[in-house]
């Protein structure tokens, strides 16, 4: 009987088979795609979950307010931490079970070292002048500011310049340049450079002539920096050059050389000299009147601060070159020359970093002072995190010693710019840097000098994935770029780089590295002991043994070590960094400049895995439900269309059980045939789309199809048992009610839908299901993207998962629309006699087409609106913040758009049903109906 029914209703059987084939194949392909997407996501996460270290230990109170609120570590967090962890704590953490590498970072402070920028003035020299004076006026551009620098002068003469020790004849100073002109000797550079007062100079035999050098009112006063260079002829192999004196604050940090080499390969980054050794310690030597403590350091080969110097070159109008020697050889030389006019003849641009590359190998320091800085405060606003500024730093931070009468030599000009950090000077306990002579007290620990044992290139350190890198501030500055066009223009199209402003936004990473055993040489030589004396370590980076990613075993190992540290030292801040990822943050700087900076979001990998598991589960369930209900709806429509046939069978004596087995058997047989064909189709499609598939997985289409047919067939088969014998002769006519006139085609279409509400609800349910699935899938996708996106690792995962998500959404909508169309087509066949009556009454094919189309619009609009509401209800029931973050409006709009798309799909598909209207034979249909 089943075979006979299928052969007699070949069209309907093939349609059901095609539906099962599409549903089963789509379900298998989508589940394979979801599995593939999850596998790729997990693979991406595991491949990028591990960076330089797995745990970060920081001192008490190191967690900022923003970090507590958002779980994000600022990119320059280490720049504001100077000590806080004791050596005993570090040594115990180092020996904990499970710790593979413990690499401490002990920021000591910023030292200031001197150098100079070489400016070539050869092309501006007047070859016809015997004596000439060039003035340069440099302006430094660094960070977001421009800073005028002190004028510098170059005096060129054809007369020979002799270097004479004038103290032997009661003169001024050893090594004074004398120019013999007009029968006289002139100290052409001494007065300008050493005596800005114009007062009579003090002979060397009567004291230090530097005592007459006045100090400017601020540490940035030009007269303390302006210098005159005197040259005879053209020096430096025919080139006329001038030096702009500059100083660089360099951050000194103590590390464990062995741990650093294991953690990031510091030893392999050494470019000259040698690597620091674990046994390197300070070396003390005793002189005649002083003690010298020398500490080993490793110097970076790259400048950690950036800037550009634009130099305007002027020829100074001296009113005749013959008067120059006499003018420069008088006590009033400085005041006179500074007042002389000049004509600009050109300009020269120099890179501030060029002076760092030519640093004196001995790193001359004129002050034993070093400085520490504090962290930056942030305030959250809709425009981004606003970096809080501070009042200008007091000039006293530039005193070289507690009782010093002068300023630290060449304090960088950028320190007059905006301040974001507190700056604290730590001055020496000896008299280093104080003007005048000073006897070293044997009981006072002297400030150490630096012994460069080698240089290293930070660019040659081990590289880690950019998707999961955690801050490596010991060696590199964070990337900061303009967030909008105006900000990028303010930055000159370049990233924002650290300058020499100790209190500035961008702090330079350490430039000098020393050993842990050298810390005491600095901390014990301060006039005022600081917190670093007892707790010098700023942070400890830990790599845990046996960690391979974010799998359960690796998580357990990391958590075990973190728990041990928290139990031993509850006050310390312990962060799990494995699975972290950079998360760009918008920072608002003074002047409205907005920049993007890569902060680090903690626990990104774990959130991704949790979210992808939840999303995969929802996709599995929804796709299965959509496919099953699509088939169930088609089967229900088929049973309704066979109502008369089933009633006839009941009249012939068929029992309810036999009718149930007949209906279910048809669907199971169709499902088995469709499943066999679907297995072959799924394997070919999966291979074509590059999904993870196999013959065994493709073979699952057969049982899936049978299962879907069984699930879809149970309700219609049960419904078939409810058909009684009299249903064969009683037409499905609604009860007679009060007649209402129908004046429009749209009204008649609505009346037709309301006349048989069960059939209408069945038709609308298909599209409602598709729109609801669309809304739910969209909500899950948005929630997944919202939970995961934002970090670099999350964005990469979202980009990979997007195709599968959209394919699931599209399938749910298409199956829903197909179900609605199927019901409408079957309804049209069921109502063929009604349509024949209308045709017999004079209705044209066009009017019948309008009626069918209007029914489709009413039905699909009802289903679409109900589906959007149902989808939002499901999302609300699921929770997990799926309707949070202002998503209600977006999801409602998306649901309504999906409903509109469903209406369009239904109307487009109804074109085939409308074509069938032209083939109606009213007489035959009416005769058959009688």
């Amino acid at each position: 009987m089943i075979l006979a029914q299928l052969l007699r209703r070949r069209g309907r059987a093939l349609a059901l088979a095609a539906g099962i084939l599409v549903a089963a194949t789509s379900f298998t392909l989508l589940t394979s795609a979801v599995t593939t997407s999850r596998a790729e996501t997990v693979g991406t996460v595991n491949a990028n979950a591990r960076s330089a270290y797995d745990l970060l230990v920081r001192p008490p109170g190191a967690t900022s307010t923003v970090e507590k609120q958002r779980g994000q570590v600022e990119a320059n967090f280490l720049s504001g931490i100077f000590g806080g962890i004791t050596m005993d704590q570090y040594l115990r953490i180092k020996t904990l079970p499970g710790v593979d590498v413990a690499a401490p970072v002990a920021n000591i402070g910023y030292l200031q070292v001197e150098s100079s920028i070489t400016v070539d003035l050869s092309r501006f020299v007047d070859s016809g002048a015997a004596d000439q004076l060039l003035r340069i006026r440099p302006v430094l551009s660094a960070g977001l500011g421009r800073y005028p620098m002190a004028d510098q002068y170059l005096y060129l003469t054809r007369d020979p310049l002799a270097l004479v020790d004038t103290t032997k004849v009661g003169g001024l100073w050893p090594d004074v340049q004398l120019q013999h002109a007009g029968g006289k000797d002139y100290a052409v550079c001494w007065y300008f450079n050493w005596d800005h007062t114009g007062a009579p100079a003090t002979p060397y035999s009567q004291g230090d002539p530097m005592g007459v050098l006045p100090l400017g009112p601020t540490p940035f006063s030009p007269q303390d920096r302006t210098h005159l260079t005197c040259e005879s002829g053209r020096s430096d192999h025919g080139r006329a050059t001038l030096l702009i004196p500059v100083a660089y604050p360099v951050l000194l940090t103590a590390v464990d050389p062995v741990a650093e080499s294991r953690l990031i390969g510091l030893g392999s980054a050494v470019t000259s000299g040698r690597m620091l050794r674990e046994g390197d310690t300070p070396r003390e030597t005793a002189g005649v009147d002083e003690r010298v403590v020398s500490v080993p350091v490793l110097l970076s080969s790259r400048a950690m601060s950036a800037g550009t110097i634009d130099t305007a070159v002027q020829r100074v109008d001296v009113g005749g070159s013959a008067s120059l020697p006499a003018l420069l050889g008088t006590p009033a030389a400085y005041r006179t020359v500074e007042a002389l006019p000049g004509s600009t003849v050109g300009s020269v641009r120099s890179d501030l970093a060029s002076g760092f590359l030519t640093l004196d190998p001995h790193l001359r320091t004129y002050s034993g002072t070093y400085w520490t800085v504090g962290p930056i405060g942030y305030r959250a606003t809709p425009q981004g995190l606003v970096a809080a500024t501070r009042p200008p730093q007091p000039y006293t931070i530039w005193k070289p010693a507690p009782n010093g009468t002068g300023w630290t030599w060449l304090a960088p000009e950028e320190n007059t710019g905006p301040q974001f950090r507190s700056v604290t000077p730590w001055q020496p306990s000896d008299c280093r840097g104080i003007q005048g002579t000073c006897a070293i007290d044997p009981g006072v620990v002297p400030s150490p000098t630096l012994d460069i044992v080698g240089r290293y290139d930070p660019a040659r350190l081990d590289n880690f994935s950019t998707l999961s890198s955690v801050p490596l501030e010991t060696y590199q500055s964070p990337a900061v770029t303009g967030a909008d066009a105006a900000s990028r223009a303010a930055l000159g199209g370049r990233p924002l780089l650290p300058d020499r402003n100790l209190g500035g936004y961008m702090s330079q990473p350490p430039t000098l590295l020393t050993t842990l055993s050298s810390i005491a040489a600095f901390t014990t030589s301060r006039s005022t002991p600081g917190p670093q004396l007892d707790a010098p370590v700023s942070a400890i980076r830990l790599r845990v043994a046996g960690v391979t990613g974010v799998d359960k075993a690796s998580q357990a190992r990391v958590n075990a070590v973190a728990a041990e540290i928290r139990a031993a030292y509850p006050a310390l801040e312990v962060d799990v960094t494995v699975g972290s990822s950079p998360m760009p943050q918008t920072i608002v700087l003074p002047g409205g400049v907005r920049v993007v900076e890569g902060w680090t979001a903690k626990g990104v990998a774990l959130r991704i895995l949790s979210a992808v598991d939840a999303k995969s589960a929802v996709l599995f369930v929804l796709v299965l439900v959509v496919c099953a209900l699509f088939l169930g709806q088609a089967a229900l429509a088929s049973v309704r269309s066979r109502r008369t046939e089933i009633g006839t069978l009941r009249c012939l004596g068929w029992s309810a059980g036999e009718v149930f087995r007949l209906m279910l058997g048809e669907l199971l047989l169709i499902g088995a045939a469709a499943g066999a064909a679907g297995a072959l189709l799924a394997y070919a499609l999966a291979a074509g789309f590059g999904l993870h598939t196999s013959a065994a997985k493709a073979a699952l289409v057969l049982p899936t199809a049978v299962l879907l047919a069984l699930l879809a067939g149970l309700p219609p088969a049960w419904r078939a048992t409810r058909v009684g014998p009299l249903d064969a002769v009683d037409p499905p006519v609604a009860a007679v009610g009060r007649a209402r006139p129908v004046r429009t085609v749209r009204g008649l279409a609505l009346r037709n839908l309301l006349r048989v509400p069960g059939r209408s609800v069945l038709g609308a349910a298909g599209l409602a299901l598709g729109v609801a699935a669309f809304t739910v899938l969209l909500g899950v996708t948005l929630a997944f993207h919202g939970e995961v996106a934002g970090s670099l690792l999350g964005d990469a995962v979202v980009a990979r998962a997007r195709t599968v998500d959209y394919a699931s959404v599209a399938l749910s909508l298409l199956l829903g629309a197909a179900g609605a169309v199927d019901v409408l087509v079957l309804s049209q066949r069921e109502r063929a006699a009604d349509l024949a009556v209308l045709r017999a009454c004079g209705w044209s094919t066009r009017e019948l087409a309008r009626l069918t189309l209007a029914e489709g619009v009413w039905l699909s609009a009802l289903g679409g609106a109900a589906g959007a509401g149902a989808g939002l209800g499901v999302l609300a029931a699921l929770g997990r913040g799926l309707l949070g973050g202002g998503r209600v409006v977006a999801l409602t709009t998306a649901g309504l758009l999906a409903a509109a798309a469903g209406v369009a799909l239904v109307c487009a598909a109804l074109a085939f049903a409308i074509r069938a209207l032209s083939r109606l034979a009213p007489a035959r249909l009416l005769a058959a109906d009688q």
Side-chain angles (χ1 to χ4, degrees), residues 111 252 282-283 285 290-297 362-363 365 432 446-452 514 518 521-522:
L111 283 65
L252 175 65
R283 186 177 66 256
T285 58
E290 64 177 354
R291 297 156 53 208
V292 177
V293 176
S294 176
V295 297
V297 295
H362 300 290
L363 283 183
T365 58
R432 187 184 302 270
S447 296
T449 60
L450 306 176
D451 177 22
I452 301 176
T514 189
S518 299
F522 292 91

Side-chain angles (χ1 to χ4, degrees), residues 46 216 435 484 504 602 663 707 739 811 875:
N46 281 325
Q435 291 187 0
D484 49 47
K602 297 181 289 187
M663 295 291 102
L707 177 62
L811 175 66
L875 291 176

Side-chain angles (χ1 to χ4, degrees), residues 522-917:
F522 292 91
T523 58
T524 58
S525 61
R526 302 301 99 191
S527 60
T528 302
Q532 293 172 288
L533 186 63
D534 299 320
V537 179
S538 304
I540 306 172
R541 299 155 297 158
L542 299 175
R543 181 181 292 169
V544 179
V547 174
T548 57
V550 289
D551 54 277
K552 298 295 183 183
S554 296
Q555 293 179 42
R557 293 186 179 100
V558 173
N559 291 335
V561 175
E564 287 283 343
I565 299 174
R566 293 189 181 105
Y569 304 108
L572 294 181
E573 307 278 356
V574 182
D575 291 314
V576 176
T577 56
V578 62
S580 299
S581 179
M583 177 173 284
Q585 288 291 326
T586 300
I587 311 297
V588 182
L589 299 179
V593 176
R594 300 169 66 247
V595 296
V596 176
E597 186 175 23
W599 290 28
T600 298
K602 297 181 289 187
V604 169
L606 298 179
R607 292 202 302 273
I608 290 175
L609 295 184
S610 175
V612 76
D613 286 341
K615 187 192 69 160
S616 298
V618 172
L619 288 178
F620 277 130
V621 172
L622 283 178
V623 172
L624 179 62
V625 169
V626 168
C627 293
L629 290 184
F630 164 72
L631 296 177
Q633 182 178 324
L636 283 172
S638 176
V639 168
R640 184 173 180 84
S641 68
R642 296 169 63 183
R643 181 172 174 273
T644 302
E645 176 188 329
I646 296 171
T648 302
L649 291 176
R650 293 300 305 276
C651 289
L652 295 176
W654 281 55
S655 66
E658 290 171 327
V659 171
F660 179 83
R661 291 195 299 273
L662 175 65
M663 295 291 102
L664 191 60
E666 289 182 12
L667 288 174
L668 289 177
L669 186 60
I670 293 173
L680 299 175
L681 180 61
Y683 184 81
L685 291 176
F689 288 122
L691 301 177
H692 293 172
T693 187
S694 61
K697 184 176 291 187
L700 292 176
V701 176
L702 178 58
T704 300
V706 174
L707 177 62
L708 286 174
L710 177 63
L711 293 175
L714 287 174
W718 176 82
R719 182 180 179 86
T721 63
R722 312 299 296 173
V723 177
L726 293 180
D727 289 330
V729 295
D730 290 338
V733 179
V736 177
R738 181 178 179 181
R740 294 181 181 178
V742 178
R743 305 184 186 280
T744 63
V745 172
R746 291 192 300 272
L748 180 59
L750 182 59
R751 181 66 58 84
N752 285 338
L753 294 177
L754 296 177
R755 185 179 64 173
V756 187
R759 182 181 65 195
S760 301
V761 170
L762 185 65
L767 187 61
L769 178 65
V771 174
F774 177 93
T775 306
V776 172
L777 285 174
L778 184 62
V780 171
T781 301
L782 289 177
F784 172 73
H785 292 183
E787 188 170 355
V788 171
S791 66
L792 298 186
L793 181 58
D795 290 342
V797 167
V798 166
R800 290 175 180 266
R802 189 171 294 148
T803 302
V804 176
D805 297 342
Y806 292 164
S808 302
V809 169
L811 175 66
S812 66
L813 189 59
L814 288 173
L815 288 179
V821 170
D822 187 47
V823 169
L824 286 171
V825 171
L826 289 176
S827 174
Q828 186 186 60
R829 291 180 180 177
E830 181 181 331
R831 294 169 46 242
D834 295 346
L835 297 175
V837 170
L838 293 176
R839 172 65 67 83
C841 293
W843 280 52
S844 66
T845 302
R846 182 175 181 180
E847 288 169 329
L848 290 177
R850 288 177 56 197
L851 177 63
T852 302
L853 187 62
E855 289 184 16
V857 171
W858 279 114
L859 191 68
S860 56
L862 174 64
L872 291 175
V874 171
L875 291 176
L878 289 175
R880 294 176 59 87
L882 295 178
L883 295 182
R887 294 195 183 107
V888 175
V889 175
L891 290 175
T892 304
T893 303
L896 294 177
L897 290 175
V903 171
L905 289 173
V906 169
C907 293
L910 283 177
F912 298 98
I914 291 173
R915 285 187 59 188
L917 294 175

